[in-house]
């Protein structure tokens, strides 16, 4: 009998042209919280899919409680007690919480073809309660927030008596409070003897939660250690295979004239009297909780959403912006938080996406100037270090970090003056993050105005010259790198409704 | 690398090969099929569907659909009929102009319904529009079939080049015009900013909008272009049949066009499709119809066969994509 709940030995998984996972080994003990971390493309998703029976590995063996298994499909993995809560939840929003929980194992009334809803509601409520959620299970799932929808997924796993629950970036779309609740739930699952494989990009979470951490790089196992034997730097260097001199390569530039001024921006139910300004040659950070109105502010400024009142000045001149097209014409670039849904046309090539915002300027007479476009694309690819086989590769095939660089390239090509970066490093790996920061630095050095909305406080503190904190559609206060001490507590206090100073 | 290229090329010419195969089978089945005049017949029969398919293609690329194409074309024809009978207008230029304006206007309306009035999917709005147009077509000519159009109106649909009386039936002018239009389409879709924007709006409308592309205007343009192609088809219909028959509005122009596009590689999911594929699709459908007619099969069988061809084409396409993915996996080993 083995001591391990799940053990992988020498597992290799290949895809067209790449080896996604090579000779991977992993041991998960019963009832432990096991962290998994690695850059994007390190093979974490492949590992998850091998464990859940989505991918079938070519070599190596998987043992569950000492017995060798080979899953042919996700059902077999579920029967063996492995469940996964994916980053993109598998929730049918229009169905009730109960229906979602029982989606593949509904209970019939005894000897009847009809469902026993009384019993199902009862069980569903019980399970949700055990996860710390006292909610009405008859209500539509979509009427609840992301946090609770995620709990519904966890409930599904609990109900099939999962011994291992894999959580793939569970906190990436949650607010601060929901993250806290999730952590509580994860700990209570551990107490019940359920093992958790916790995949995350956020180091703090791993340190807070996990017993042991495994690092992957380039599809290989790098290390597994007890969390208390590790620290930030050792984890990062294991992940990237080199020591990052500085996670936040902040440069000091001399702020120039005012680039953007917003006065009394109002939008019913969303924004309340938002006023601020941003200068050339500085990074202005926007901190706050998810839903504080930061994205909404800049969607309004950029022309993506209508607003009810307020004035916008660019380089001191009053402008009226009613569409993204007008926003771009005023010299703004808006890198959206959802790059797949709002930033890229995934089915088109890197080349086309790079000129998405200035197609009309890439023409010679009636037709495209193919030479100019090729040259531009080559320039972007080498400048921004976009890793792609050719410029004609379909963007959907690239990794998250490289997709993000394509979006940045798209905006740099418009020759914009004001760059609004909304969660620019969300879901991209540490190495690519630093590259994104360096691009921001380059823009600032060139005298551009950079505005960065971020929910990661270390990033806000590490990169911003000034920080504006928002809460519930209002600006709570402003901090400057020069005159104030930037630290997490002050910013979080403001984000939760406290006063600055 | 070379075999990969070969496979890619093979994938692209597969519909063409299927067409050639179909030609060989039909030639063996009946000797009436592979004659010069019958070939010209097929081209003649392809023209209307080809024009309407071109209308459908751009709409499909934007992940939309236009079910009103056939009814639109017939309304355009009937508008000319109305001007002639009710108002006594016989000036060809006026008639043709009204025909085109009608088509473009209806397409424009479809675009407005979709973008400015926020109807959820063009399937609904253009289906409604189809019924409205069927009714309008009957209404404007009081359900009568109108004939005796001036020669300049029927010219496009009825003329043949290099005709030898009693011998060669001539190359149909409408097909030559179709090819010219397709060449323009090719350059438009592949080499111009607007063409690429159409693919991008089809691939991700929100990303296109936030990148400064006015998605609404692009969609309105696309549906107007669809309407324009319908009006050209109307001229060919009137020329070929010499009449404007309002009850033809319910003919399966729309489904034939969708079939041609899908056989040619377009997808309901948008972002895909080429004009040359569509040409092969349109040729395939008229060839099947032509061959089956020569074999004296009833129209019921024709419907069944064309339906099966559509299903087969999509099935082959889906299977090919899956096989390619599998081949890539195996190659990686």
């Amino acid at each position: 009998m083995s001591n391990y709940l799940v053990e992988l030995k020498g597992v290799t998984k290949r895809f067209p042209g790449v080896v996604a996972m090579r000779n991977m080994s992993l041991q998960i003990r019963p009832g432990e919280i096991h962290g998994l971390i690695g850059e994007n493309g390190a093979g974490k998703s492949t590992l998850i899919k091998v464990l859940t029976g989505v991918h079938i590995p070519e070599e190596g063996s998987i043992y569950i409680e000492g017995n060798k298994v080979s899953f042919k499909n996700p059902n077999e993995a579920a029967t063996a007690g492995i469940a996964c809560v994916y980053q993109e939840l598998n929730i049918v929003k229009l169905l009730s919480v109960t229906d979602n929980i029982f989606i593949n194992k509904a209970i019939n009334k005894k000897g009847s073809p009809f469902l026993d809803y009384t019993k199902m509601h009862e069980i569903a409520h019980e399970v949700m309660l055990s996860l710390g959620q006292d909610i009405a299970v008859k209500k539509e799932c979509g009427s609840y927030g992301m946090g609770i929808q995620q709990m519904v997924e966890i409930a599904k796993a609990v109900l099939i008596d999962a011994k291992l629950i894999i959580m793939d970036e569970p906190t990436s779309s949650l607010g601060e409070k929901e993250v806290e609740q999730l952590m509580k739930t994860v700990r209570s699952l551990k107490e019940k003897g359920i093992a958790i494989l916790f995949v995350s990009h956020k180091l703090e979470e791993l340190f807070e939660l996990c017993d042991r951490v495994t690092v992957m790089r380039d599809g290989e196992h790098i290390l597994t250690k007890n969390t208390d034997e590790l620290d930030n730097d050792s984890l990062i260097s294991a992940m990237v295979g080199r020591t990052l001199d500085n996670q936040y390569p902040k440069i000091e530039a001399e702020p120039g004239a005012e680039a953007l001024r917003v006065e009394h921006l109002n939008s019913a139910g969303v924004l309340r009297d938002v006023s601020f300004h941003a200068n050339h040659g500085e990074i202005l950070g926007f901190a706050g909780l998810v839903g504080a109105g930061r994205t909404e502010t800049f969607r309004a400024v950029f022309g993506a959403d209508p607003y009810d009142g307020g004035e916008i000045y660019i380089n001191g001149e009053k402008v009226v912006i009613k569409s993204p097209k007008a926003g771009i014409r005023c010299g703004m670039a808006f890198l959206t938080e959802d790059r797949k849904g709002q930033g890229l046309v995934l089915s088109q090539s890197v080349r086309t996406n790079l000129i998405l915002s200035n197609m009309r300027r890439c023409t010679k007479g009636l037709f495209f100037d193919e030479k100019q476009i090729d040259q531009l694309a080559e320039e972007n690819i080498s400048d921004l270090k976009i890793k792609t086989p050719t410029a004609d590769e379909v963007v959907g095939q690239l990794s998250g970090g490289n997709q993000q660089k394509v979006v940045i390239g798209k905006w740099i090509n418009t020759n914009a003056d004001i760059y609004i970066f909304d969660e620019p490093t969300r879901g991209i790996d540490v190495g690519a993050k630093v590259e994104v920061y360096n691009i921001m630095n380059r823009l600032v050095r060139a005298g551009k105005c950079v505005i960065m909305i971020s929910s990661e406080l270390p990033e806000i503190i590490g990169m911003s010259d000034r920080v504006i904190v928002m809460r519930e559609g209002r600006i709570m206060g402003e901090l400057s790198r020069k005159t104030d001490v930037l630290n997490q507590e002050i910013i979080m206090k403001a984000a939760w409704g406290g006063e600055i100073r | 690398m070379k075999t990969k290229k070969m496979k890619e090329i093979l994938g692209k010419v597969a519909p063409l090969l299927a067409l050639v195969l179909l030609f060989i089978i039909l030639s063996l089945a009946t000797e009436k099929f592979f004659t010069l005049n019958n070939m010209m017949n097929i081209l003649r029969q392809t023209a209307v569907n080809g024009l309407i398919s071109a209308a459908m293609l751009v709409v499909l690329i934007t992940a939309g659909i236009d079910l009103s194409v056939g009814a639109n074309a017939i309304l355009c024809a009937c508008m000319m009929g109305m001007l002639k009978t009710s108002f006594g207008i016989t000036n060809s230029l006026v008639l043709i102009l009204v025909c085109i304006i009608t088509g473009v206007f209806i397409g424009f309306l479809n675009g407005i319904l979709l973008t400015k009035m926020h109807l959820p999917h063009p399937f609904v709005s253009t289906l409604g529009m189809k019924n409205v147009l069927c009714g309008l077509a009957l209404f404007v000519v009081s359900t009568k079939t109108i004939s005796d159009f001036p020669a300049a109106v029927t010219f496009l649909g009825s003329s043949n080049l290099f005709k030898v009386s009693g011998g060669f039936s001539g190359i149909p002018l409408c097909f030559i015009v179709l090819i010219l239009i397709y060449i323009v389409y090719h350059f438009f879709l592949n080499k111009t900013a607007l063409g690429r924007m159409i693919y991008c709006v089809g691939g991700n409308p929100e990303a296109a909008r936030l990148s400064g592309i006015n998605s609404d205007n692009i969609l309105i343009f696309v549906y107007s272009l669809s309407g324009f192609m319908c009006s050209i088809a109307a001229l060919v219909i009137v020329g070929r049949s010499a009449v404007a028959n309002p009850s033809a509005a319910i003919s399966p122009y729309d489904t034939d066009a969708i079939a041609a596009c899908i056989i040619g590689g377009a997808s309901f999911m948008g972002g895909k499709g080429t004009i040359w594929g569509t040409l092969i699709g349109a040729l395939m459908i008229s060839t099947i119809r032509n061959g089956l007619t020569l074999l004296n099969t009833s129209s019921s069988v024709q419907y069944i066969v064309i339906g099966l061809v559509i299903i087969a084409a999509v099935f082959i396409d889906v299977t090919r994509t899956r096989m390619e993915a599998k081949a890539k996996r195996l190659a990686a080993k």
Side-chain angles (χ1 to χ4, degrees):
Chain A
M1 199 54 198
S2 148
N3 295 326
Y4 299 117
L5 172 67
V6 176
E7 188 173 13
L8 264 67
K9 278 185 188 164
V11 175
T12 297
K13 173 74 200 162
R14 295 187 182 86
F15 285 115
V18 285
V19 182
M21 203 161 75
R22 193 195 312 268
N23 200 17
M24 180 70 192
S25 59
L26 177 74
Q27 289 110 14
I28 299 174
R29 294 174 184 148
E32 77 166 339
I33 303 177
H34 195 116
L36 176 64
I37 192 166
E39 292 190 291
N40 276 2
K44 290 169 303 187
S45 319
T46 312
L47 175 63
I48 295 173
K49 286 181 177 160
V50 164
L51 280 173
T52 52
V54 177
H55 289 335
I56 300 162
E58 281 86 15
E59 286 163 31
S61 28
I62 305 172
Y63 301 87
I64 294 196
E65 293 176 324
N67 302 318
K68 189 171 174 182
V69 292
S70 56
F71 302 136
K72 288 182 201 70
N73 56 52
N75 259 340
E76 292 186 7
T79 317
I82 297 183
C84 181
V85 177
Y86 286 100
Q87 199 175 352
E88 325 248 313
L89 301 175
N90 287 317
I91 291 285
V92 187
K93 289 190 176 158
L94 291 176
L95 289 183
S96 72
V97 171
T98 305
D99 285 323
N100 269 291
I101 291 178
F102 284 96
I103 199 145
N104 45 19
K105 54 171 300 183
I107 302 172
N108 280 8
K109 285 184 188 152
K110 242 192 177 151
S112 136
F114 299 111
L115 295 174
D116 188 351
Y117 264 110
T118 329
K119 196 168 169 195
M120 278 164 42
H121 283 314
E122 199 181 300
I123 298 175
H125 188 247
E126 239 167 64
V127 177
M128 289 308 284
L129 208 58
S130 77
L131 299 175
Q133 303 291 337
D134 188 6
I135 57 165
V137 292
K138 291 179 188 174
K139 267 176 77 177
E140 273 176 22
C141 227
S143 64
Y144 291 108
M146 286 300 283
I148 289 188
Q149 291 185 18
Q150 198 173 52
M151 289 296 171
V152 172
E153 287 270 34
I154 297 174
K156 271 156 81 175
V158 171
L159 213 67
I160 62 164
D161 291 321
K163 294 174 200 129
L164 170 69
I165 301 179
I166 303 166
M167 296 189 182
D168 188 6
E169 301 253 0
T171 58
S172 63
S173 49
L174 299 187
E176 203 83 11
K177 236 182 185 165
E178 293 168 322
V179 171
E180 251 171 57
Q181 177 59 48
L182 176 73
M183 296 216 168
K184 243 190 242 164
T185 306
V186 168
R187 286 197 190 97
S188 76
L189 290 172
K190 172 192 159 93
E191 275 163 27
K192 286 180 196 154
I194 299 172
I196 309 282
L197 183 62
F198 195 88
V199 185
S200 179
H201 275 308
K202 293 179 189 155
L203 303 179
E204 309 89 58
E205 289 173 7
L206 292 176
F207 283 115
E208 206 186 317
L209 203 58
C210 298
D211 303 310
R212 297 197 300 156
V213 176
T214 292
V215 178
M216 285 185 81
R217 184 174 75 223
D218 301 329
E220 289 180 65
H221 176 265
I222 300 300
L223 63 82
T224 300
K225 272 189 178 170
N226 288 338
T227 313
D228 46 24
E229 298 166 36
L230 290 162
D231 60 21
N232 255 337
D233 291 343
S234 62
L235 263 187
I236 290 174
S237 60
M239 250 190 299
V240 298
R242 66 197 128 93
T243 339
L244 288 180
D245 307 331
N246 193 342
Q247 210 181 332
Y248 301 106
K250 174 81 190 139
I251 56 151
E252 300 292 335
E254 202 44 51
E258 174 188 285
L260 170 72
R261 181 152 49 95
V262 171
E263 284 186 357
H264 313 297
L265 190 66
N266 274 294
S267 178
V270 186
L271 302 174
R272 282 173 241 174
D273 202 24
V274 172
S275 302
F276 66 92
H277 74 276
N279 298 325
H280 287 283
E282 71 164 5
I283 296 177
L284 175 63
F286 263 74
L289 302 174
V290 173
R294 297 166 301 167
T295 300
E296 289 77 4
T297 300
F298 286 100
R299 280 184 67 92
V301 169
F302 183 66
D305 286 338
Y307 54 93
D308 300 326
E311 282 153 17
I312 299 165
Y313 299 84
I314 288 183
N315 295 327
E317 258 177 67
K318 188 174 168 179
V319 291
V320 178
I321 297 169
K322 291 205 162 143
S323 68
K325 200 173 174 180
I328 293 167
R329 211 176 293 129
C330 289
M332 281 195 277
F334 185 35
L335 182 129
T336 52
E337 57 183 331
D338 175 7
R339 67 177 163 265
K340 287 186 181 176
Q342 302 176 332
L344 294 166
V345 184
L346 291 175
S347 56
Q348 291 284 322
S349 65
V350 171
R351 196 166 171 272
T352 298
N353 274 285
L354 283 169
I355 60 162
L356 197 56
S357 287
N358 58 340
M359 277 197 197
R360 288 194 201 276
R361 259 183 276 168
C362 297
T363 52
K364 204 188 218 171
L366 271 177
F367 300 117
F368 274 135
D369 184 352
E370 303 285 354
K371 241 190 214 156
Q372 183 203 335
I373 297 173
D374 281 337
Q375 204 181 344
L376 190 68
E378 285 312 317
E379 248 176 59
N380 289 149
I381 288 171
S382 69
D383 264 14
L384 302 172
K385 303 197 182 92
I386 302 171
K387 279 180 211 131
T388 171
T390 67
D392 291 316
E393 184 75 9
V394 172
V395 157
Q397 299 286 337
L398 303 189
S399 73
N402 284 306
Q403 286 182 357
Q404 191 69 309
K405 290 184 207 161
V406 173
V407 182
I408 295 176
K410 169 181 92 178
W411 289 120
I412 287 178
N413 291 340
T414 65
N415 225 341
D417 217 24
I418 301 166
Y419 290 83
I420 305 156
F421 286 1
D422 193 355
E423 305 285 359
T425 62
R426 172 179 287 174
I428 68 177
D429 56 66
V430 178
K433 273 184 185 180
V434 175
E435 283 171 15
V436 170
Y437 299 141
N438 280 328
I439 294 168
M440 286 162 96
N441 280 336
R442 247 171 49 197
L443 292 171
V444 168
R445 216 178 280 132
K448 310 285 189 187
C449 165
V450 174
I451 295 163
M452 176 178 68
I453 304 170
S454 174
S455 297
E456 283 183 45
L457 282 180
E459 176 173 280
I460 288 272
I461 293 166
M463 290 305 294
S464 311
D465 292 289
R466 286 187 299 134
V467 178
I468 287 176
V469 186
M470 282 189 82
R471 173 182 166 75
E472 290 178 354
R474 263 196 206 108
I475 288 189
M476 300 302 290
E478 184 187 319
L479 296 158
S480 163
R481 190 181 201 83
K482 286 217 174 82
T483 54
D484 306 283
V485 185
L486 293 181
N487 73 34
Q488 304 213 16
E489 280 105 85
I490 295 175
I491 294 174
M492 272 332 284
K493 237 162 79 190
W496 282 103
E499 285 289 312
I500 289 186
R501 274 168 297 219
Chain B
M1 248 348 246
K2 246 187 184 165
T3 50
K4 195 182 157 197
K5 272 253 167 73
M6 281 291 288
K7 267 187 186 160
E8 242 170 60
I9 292 167
L10 199 69
K12 275 183 185 157
V13 298
L16 187 62
L17 289 180
L19 185 63
V20 172
L21 195 67
L22 187 66
F23 262 74
I24 295 172
I25 293 171
L26 287 172
S27 308
L28 295 175
T30 164
E31 55 188 16
K32 284 179 275 179
F33 179 76
F34 201 69
T35 64
L36 194 54
N37 280 349
N38 191 46
M39 292 300 107
M40 292 304 127
N41 253 335
I42 290 175
L43 299 189
R44 215 165 281 127
Q45 287 155 359
T46 304
V48 172
N49 186 21
L51 288 165
I52 295 180
S53 297
M56 189 66 76
L57 177 68
V58 272
V59 176
L60 282 177
I61 290 173
T62 63
I65 197 163
D66 187 349
L67 296 176
S68 68
V69 281
N72 189 358
I74 296 301
L75 177 67
C76 290
C78 290
M79 285 297 283
M80 291 194 290
M82 179 191 76
L83 287 182
K84 196 176 78 67
T85 49
S86 306
F87 299 95
I89 296 172
T90 51
N91 183 329
S92 303
L93 195 67
V94 175
L95 292 179
I96 292 173
L97 214 59
V98 167
C99 173
I100 291 174
I101 289 171
T102 305
V104 173
F105 178 70
I106 299 295
F108 177 76
L109 270 187
N110 277 330
I112 295 290
L113 283 175
L114 174 66
T115 55
K116 302 296 176 195
M117 296 178 64
H118 304 288
L119 290 188
H121 191 277
F123 189 94
V124 184
S125 49
T126 58
L127 183 64
M129 185 61 80
K130 175 185 175 168
N131 284 294
V132 171
L133 300 182
C134 284
L136 272 180
L138 287 165
F139 175 76
V140 293
V141 290
S142 319
T143 74
K144 289 192 188 72
T145 298
I146 311 295
S147 53
D148 298 325
F149 284 97
V153 171
T154 57
F155 179 72
L156 179 61
S158 60
S159 314
N160 294 294
L161 303 182
F162 312 116
K163 189 173 170 175
V164 182
S165 59
F168 181 45
S169 67
I171 306 168
L173 176 68
C174 50
F175 189 78
I176 294 172
V177 170
L178 178 77
I179 293 297
L180 291 177
I181 288 177
Y182 272 35
I183 291 171
V184 173
Y185 250 71
H186 172 80
F187 283 102
F188 168 66
L189 284 177
N190 293 304
K191 302 285 173 195
T192 70
L194 185 56
R196 192 69 58 90
M197 283 177 192
I198 291 173
Y199 281 99
C200 289
V201 169
N204 188 343
E206 184 61 6
R209 184 179 85 96
L210 290 174
S211 299
I213 295 173
N214 192 328
S215 302
D216 282 5
N217 285 358
I218 300 263
L219 287 172
I220 292 171
F221 170 81
V222 161
Y223 282 87
S224 305
L225 176 63
S226 170
F228 173 75
M229 295 308 298
C230 292
S231 66
I232 304 294
L235 291 174
V236 177
I237 291 170
V238 169
R240 266 174 53 72
S241 62
V243 294
N245 175 6
S247 51
I250 51 158
S251 308
Y253 290 116
D254 41 9
T255 43
D256 271 9
I258 293 169
C261 295
I262 299 290
I263 291 173
S267 154
F268 286 115
M269 306 300 288
K272 257 177 83 177
T274 65
I275 194 68
W276 300 119
T278 304
L279 177 66
I280 290 169
L283 279 171
M284 189 108 84
I285 287 177
S286 40
T287 306
I288 294 171
R289 283 245 161 85
N290 175 283
L292 292 177
T293 310
L294 290 181
L295 291 167
N296 287 325
T297 20
S298 69
S299 64
S300 52
V301 175
Q302 293 188 18
Y303 277 115
I304 294 171
V305 171
I306 287 174
L308 292 177
V309 167
I310 296 167
I311 294 172
V314 178
F315 175 72
I316 290 168
D317 184 48
V318 172
T319 315
R320 196 172 54 214
T321 320
R322 282 175 50 185
M323 296 285 276
E324 272 166 17
K326 195 173 175 187
K328 273 187 191 169
R329 258 206 315 276
L330 290 175
K333 264 195 178 172

